[in-house]
Amino acid sequence: MKHNESIKCTVEKCKHHCKEDDFCTLDSIMVGSHAMDPKNNEATDCNSFECSC
Ligand code: SF4
């Protein structure tokens, strides 16, 4: 599957994930945070995520 070499991603349950390897298929993504004062990477999110379920 064609993917974006600049966006590595391991979230296989996202419908934008390249199922063949660990990349995203979108041209760009939006990253945000669900925390008021993010201090580590667990506080950040890919807001372009869409469940493949
Ligand atoms: S949209 Fe976000 S979570 Fe989904 S494959 Fe792309 S980078 Fe990963």
Side-chain angles (χ1 to χ4, degrees), residues 2-4 7 16 24-30 46 48-49:
K2 187 173 179 294
H3 62 233
N4 187 334
I7 308 176
H16 302 301
C24 180
T25 59
L26 296 178
D27 291 338
S28 66
I29 60 168
M30 175 64 76
C46 176
S48 302
F49 170 86

Side-chain angles (χ1 to χ4, degrees), residues 17-34:
H17 188 267
C18 178
K19 307 305 177 195
E20 292 152 22
D21 40 30
D22 285 339
F23 288 91
C24 180
T25 59
L26 296 178
D27 291 338
S28 66
I29 60 168
M30 175 64 76
V31 176
S33 177
H34 56 270

Side-chain angles (χ1 to χ4, degrees), residues 32-35 37-45:
S33 177
H34 56 270
D37 184 20
K39 298 213 185 301
N40 51 43
N41 60 351
E42 285 82 5
T44 64
D45 312 289

